[in-house]
Amino acid sequence: MAVNKNFVVKNGLEVNDNLIVADASSGQIGIGTTSPQYTVDIKGGIGVTSVYVAGVTTIRDRLRVGTAGTVFSVIAGPTGATAVGVGTASPAYLLDVRSPVSTGQTALYVQGDVRITGDLNVDDITFDDATIQDLTVTQD
């Protein structure tokens, strides 16, 4: 049966106790909350197949891409600072880039200059062409 009329709610809407609340005076909608604090305020998980965001977006706690964040993660790091993980859901450093071990796959590619002002710890190293000043080689 089809009804050829508009559905109008003038003073607000509440479905169940806190399933959906529409506050006409504030223009806010709450899903899973009776006191929305944003235009659309959702308490609980959201399943979405496609998201488009225009403008500034704030993610308060963490951002995870891929199953459990295994592709890309932004979380509070071990020192309390924000840590970014690529290929890991648990970055151990401010920037932690990982690829599967022993696959011959390049885990990090940088095109352009790189400046390192602290220590550089390298397990294996190969240079194609190098100019080195003041090199000290020791053996452990």
Side-chain angles (χ1 to χ4, degrees):
M1 172 174 105
V3 177
N4 191 12
K5 293 190 176 201
N6 292 329
F7 180 76
V8 177
V9 177
K10 292 187 178 189
N11 296 320
L13 171 71
E14 184 172 339
V15 177
N16 209 341
D17 288 336
N18 66 348
L19 181 61
I20 300 174
V21 174
D23 185 341
S25 63
S26 67
Q28 295 172 323
I29 298 170
I31 298 174
T33 179
T34 56
S35 54
Q37 298 180 14
Y38 306 98
T39 304
V40 177
D41 193 345
I42 300 172
K43 301 292 188 228
I46 302 171
V48 183
T49 55
S50 180
V51 175
Y52 172 79
V53 178
V56 177
T57 300
T58 301
I59 298 174
R60 190 180 69 174
D61 293 325
R62 71 194 81 148
L63 171 66
R64 296 193 181 267
V65 177
T67 305
T70 55
V71 174
F72 182 81
S73 295
V74 180
I75 63 171
T79 61
T82 301
V84 176
V86 178
T88 178
S90 303
Y93 307 96
L94 294 179
L95 177 58
D96 193 343
V97 180
R98 300 184 193 190
S99 71
V101 178
S102 300
T103 62
Q105 187 176 5
T106 300
L108 176 63
Y109 175 80
V110 178
Q111 182 174 351
D113 297 339
V114 174
R115 182 179 305 267
I116 299 171
T117 58
D119 294 338
L120 176 63
N121 298 312
V122 180
D123 288 337
D124 298 314
I125 190 164
T126 301
F127 289 110
D128 181 38
D129 185 22
T131 301
I132 300 173
Q133 285 182 282
D134 301 324
L135 175 65
T136 302
V137 179
T138 60
Q139 183 177 359
D140 280 339

